[in-house]
Amino acid sequence: MSNKHEYTAQVVWTRKDTEKYTDNRYSRAYEWRFDGGTVVPGSSSPKVVPLPLSAENAVDPEEAFVASLSACHMLFFLFHTAKKGFIVDRYEDNAVGTMGKNEKGAMAMLKVVMRPVITFSGDKQPSAEELSAMHAQSHHDCYIANSVTTEVTVESGGGHL
């Protein structure tokens, strides 16, 4: 059995007939199409390309990057808590990514901070040390975090109810 897996995404952008294009005044809205038929509206960030050339109601690559790191961490955290007999009722993370110039002078995602708040139920509740260890193991296991050079931290102080 191979340890290699392939993942695909189709990105589709089409110029509107009313857009000249060479004047750089074209819509940056596009679609991300995934297996199973899921279609997600995408766009450049309005923080980078002003409205109306960007689509405010679409997911931009920077948001998707932050969400991907957060979701990967969460999925491993859920795995580890279940394995240790803790019952998680809710996991909510308001992750924040910070863009800026890296040491090479190029714009990059410099840091992603995850701030998960987890609600546990049942008699078995994790100690602060157990919670910290499960977050550390989840970060270590996260495929996405292992694939990037961006600093990724988890601030879990007071992070469960």
Side-chain angles (χ1 to χ4, degrees):
M1 178 187 241
S2 172
N3 286 334
K4 293 183 181 179
H5 307 277
E6 287 189 349
Y7 299 89
T8 62
Q10 182 182 42
V11 178
V12 179
W13 174 88
T14 305
R15 182 179 64 84
K16 296 178 182 140
D17 290 340
T18 57
E19 296 172 330
K20 184 177 177 183
Y21 183 74
T22 55
D23 62 359
N24 208 27
R25 306 236 359 116
Y26 56 89
S27 172
R28 273 43 169 212
Y30 59 89
E31 290 182 342
W32 288 348
R33 298 177 185 171
F34 298 97
D35 60 354
T38 299
V39 177
V40 176
S43 174
S44 56
S45 169
K47 295 174 184 173
V48 177
V49 178
L51 298 172
L53 300 178
S54 289
E56 196 168 30
N57 63 342
V59 179
D60 59 65
E62 297 83 1
E63 291 170 324
F65 181 79
V66 172
S68 181
L69 284 162
S70 177
C72 185
H73 182 88
M74 177 197 68
L75 291 168
F76 274 106
F77 185 85
L78 295 174
F79 168 77
H80 290 300
T81 52
K83 194 172 165 184
K84 293 187 179 295
F86 298 111
I87 300 170
V88 174
D89 289 337
R90 182 175 169 84
Y91 182 109
E92 181 177 327
D93 182 14
N94 294 304
V96 177
T98 303
M99 290 278 292
K101 289 199 176 184
N102 66 14
E103 64 279 352
K104 296 176 184 175
M107 288 299 289
M109 190 68 69
L110 300 176
K111 185 173 186 176
V112 173
V113 178
M114 294 180 275
R115 296 181 178 101
V117 176
I118 302 120
T119 304
F120 293 90
S121 64
D123 292 333
K124 187 174 180 182
Q125 297 286 314
S127 67
E129 293 79 23
E130 289 171 313
L131 192 63
S132 180
M134 289 184 292
H135 277 301
Q137 187 63 53
S138 300
H139 179 66
H140 176 268
D141 294 343
C142 175
Y143 310 139
I144 307 302
N146 292 333
S147 301
V148 299
T149 58
T150 298
E151 179 184 352
V152 180
T153 62
V154 179
E155 295 178 355
S156 64
H160 77 279
L161 304 173

